[in-house]
Amino acid sequence: MTRKNSLHWQILLALLLGVGAGLIWPRGATLPGGLEPYSVFDFLGTLFLRALKMVIVPLLAGSIISGVAGVGAQRGLGRLFSKTFGWYVTTSLMAILVGLLLVNIIHPGVIDGVPVGERMGLGEAPPELAAKLEGRGVGDIVGIVQRMVPDNPVAAAAEGQMLPLIFFCVIFGLAITTLSEERRKNQLGFWESLFATMMKITGWVIATAPVGIFGLMAKTTATSGFEAFAPLALYGVTVLGALLIHSTIFLPLLVRIVGNLPPHRHARVMAPALLTAFSTRSSSATLPLTMDRIENGAGVSNRVTSFVLPLGATINMDGTALYECVAAMFIAQAYGVELGFMSQVLVVMTALLASIGAAGIPAAGLVMISVILQAVGLPLEGLALILAIDPILDMCRTAVNVWSDSCGAVVIARTEGESDVLT
Ligand code: ASP
């Protein structure tokens, strides 16, 4: 068994042990001596998340700048951009349509002819959620485009704002390609070394993943348990079923047909990153692992990796897009509202935009649903319905988000003529 293979088994084991530990010691339980297991879970999980976040900014900067500066002088940068963007939009739309189909067939918002909202007495949304949602709308999306240009790149880096940082790094890399030979070499050398150093540190963080993931899973299970989910089972099944169809049928088909690559081998290579996405519920936090697996596992060049993945982690979210659509449709059904064709088209379009606008952090997709609800005129209180089950769905949709980015990376690498991908 190779080291990487054994890592994904270790992560899987840690994940299961974490669920077990969370069920045995729910939040509030104490051990003899007064020790709270929950605080141990929290400590381990938080430490791991912090370590992952620690590497993101320098890793991103090193990767994008060296990637762009290294290839910018050659032709084909624009082509790479269009392919990447094409992949994002096509796969996200496919995901949304799978969700739309399933939610129309299963109709989870109405059980035995009674809308779920009535059964559950549609409680008030908690005040902190209401505060988050205040003033959100389609105009938000315009704001996101505007904020892509940072007014202060150092502040963007310090606050971990990914899109403005990516934008600045791309411009910086492009500028390097225009320098005189000696200056260009110096700059490129520096950013390439920074990138190599950050990949080394990332490797060390990844080695601690089993412990961190144990903590994160135990913490989630200890907090939510299993009870709150019963009336939402059908809705959960709809989201999970659609995610499953998209990730195990459509994306692998694209990898096979467009990339002419074996999807099962790709899945094996990506397993540690997918399991990390599942337990961290954050595609951004998983990014260092995704990049490591794509470059060192699948053998994709830095040029493609540094374009497709950092951008993908923030704007390509198939799982989130699908979820946005199903959740909005479910809320409509739960209120006893049947959305017509045009409203459903509106749901599809806003779900796509909302997934682009959602940050790669836990529960970002939940907040973005408000954009769709507003667009089709549904009350925001409907969000209260889906809160209880959201952490589980967030885990699965985040894994699908990362899976789609990684499929995009190998397919695009192949269409760029890279022949040793997944060999
Ligand atoms: N947690 C997701 C992610 O990081 C975003 C979402 O909430 O849908 O990819």
Side-chain angles (χ1 to χ4, degrees):
M1 203 184 277
T2 65
R3 196 178 68 82
K4 290 292 176 191
N5 262 335
S6 81
L7 179 68
H8 82 235
W9 288 115
Q10 284 172 25
I11 293 181
L12 198 63
L13 185 68
L15 212 139
L16 296 175
L17 287 177
V19 172
L23 288 176
I24 297 174
W25 295 292
R27 194 171 185 172
T30 46
L31 293 176
L35 178 73
E36 263 191 64
Y38 181 84
S39 56
V40 177
F41 306 152
D42 186 33
F43 175 77
L44 295 175
T46 308
L47 211 56
F48 177 59
L49 267 182
R50 289 181 70 96
L52 275 175
K53 289 183 183 159
M54 168 182 85
V55 295
I56 291 174
V57 169
L59 177 71
L60 256 185
S63 159
I64 299 179
I65 295 175
S66 60
V68 176
V71 296
Q74 308 157 15
R75 306 227 135 258
L77 203 62
R79 193 189 53 217
L80 194 56
F81 261 128
S82 359
K83 279 186 192 171
T84 307
F85 209 73
W87 176 270
Y88 294 166
V89 174
T90 314
T91 57
S92 297
L93 270 179
M94 277 167 69
I96 295 174
L97 293 178
V98 174
L100 190 67
L101 188 72
L102 245 63
V103 78
N104 275 309
I105 295 175
I106 301 180
H107 230 80
V110 180
I111 298 177
D112 298 330
V114 184
V116 173
E118 233 170 84
R119 280 171 189 262
M120 293 178 70
L122 259 198
E124 291 277 306
E128 71 276 8
L129 185 71
K132 267 193 195 165
L133 301 179
E134 193 119 334
R136 281 195 171 259
V138 181
D140 245 26
I141 309 277
V142 178
I144 288 162
V145 175
Q146 219 168 41
R147 285 194 300 274
M148 254 180 76
V149 181
D151 53 2
N152 179 348
V154 179
E159 287 159 17
Q161 297 171 11
M162 305 271 276
L163 279 184
L165 188 63
I166 292 171
F167 180 84
F168 181 75
C169 291
V170 170
I171 300 287
F172 195 94
L174 282 175
I176 292 177
T177 63
T178 65
L179 299 179
S180 65
E181 185 57 18
E182 200 201 330
R183 289 191 168 144
R184 196 181 70 80
K185 266 204 185 129
N186 283 341
Q187 274 290 320
L188 192 58
F190 169 77
W191 293 104
E192 277 176 353
S193 311
L194 174 73
F195 178 52
T197 313
M198 290 318 298
M199 281 306 264
K200 196 37 123 226
I201 300 178
T202 303
W204 294 337
V205 175
I206 291 173
T208 69
V211 181
I213 284 174
F214 166 82
L216 289 171
M217 289 307 295
K219 187 179 156 189
T220 309
T221 329
T223 312
S224 31
F226 284 133
E227 313 86 46
F229 311 136
L232 296 170
L234 209 51
Y235 159 67
V237 167
T238 312
V239 175
L240 296 180
L243 286 175
L244 206 66
I245 293 174
H246 182 65
S247 59
T248 61
I249 300 179
F250 289 121
L251 288 175
L253 268 180
L254 287 177
V255 170
R256 163 75 69 202
I257 296 169
V258 187
N260 195 14
L261 290 165
H264 54 279
R265 195 174 310 154
H266 179 49
R268 231 185 355 252
V269 167
M270 290 310 297
L274 298 179
L275 291 168
T276 305
F278 184 81
S279 43
T280 58
R281 294 163 53 201
S282 165
S283 3
S284 295
T286 311
L287 183 60
L289 257 106
T290 319
M291 291 177 71
D292 170 80
R293 294 290 61 224
I294 284 293
E295 260 196 83
N296 302 330
V300 172
S301 67
N302 172 246
R303 170 178 177 263
V304 170
T305 307
S306 64
F307 257 85
V308 178
L309 296 181
L311 214 57
T314 15
I315 70 177
N316 180 42
M317 298 196 175
D318 290 15
T320 302
L322 180 159
Y323 160 83
E324 301 282 331
C325 172
V326 176
M329 293 293 296
F330 169 74
I331 291 173
Q333 293 172 359
Y335 270 109
V337 180
E338 282 302 327
L339 295 180
F341 179 74
M342 276 325 283
S343 295
Q344 296 207 12
V345 171
L346 191 62
V347 168
V348 170
M349 294 324 292
T350 37
L352 181 66
L353 290 175
S355 75
I356 293 175
I361 54 172
L366 179 69
V367 177
M368 290 307 275
I369 291 176
S370 55
V371 174
I372 311 182
L373 295 183
Q374 278 191 349
V376 292
L378 285 165
L380 294 185
E381 286 71 30
L383 268 177
L385 279 180
I386 56 174
L387 281 180
I389 202 176
D390 191 66
I392 297 182
L393 301 182
D394 196 5
M395 288 173 169
C396 301
R397 66 184 186 248
T398 307
V400 174
N401 290 344
V402 170
W403 174 233
S404 166
D405 294 341
S406 77
C407 291
V410 290
V411 167
I412 291 168
R414 266 310 271 259
T415 64
E416 286 289 296
E418 292 182 18
S419 50
D420 25 346
V421 177
L422 289 173
T423 45

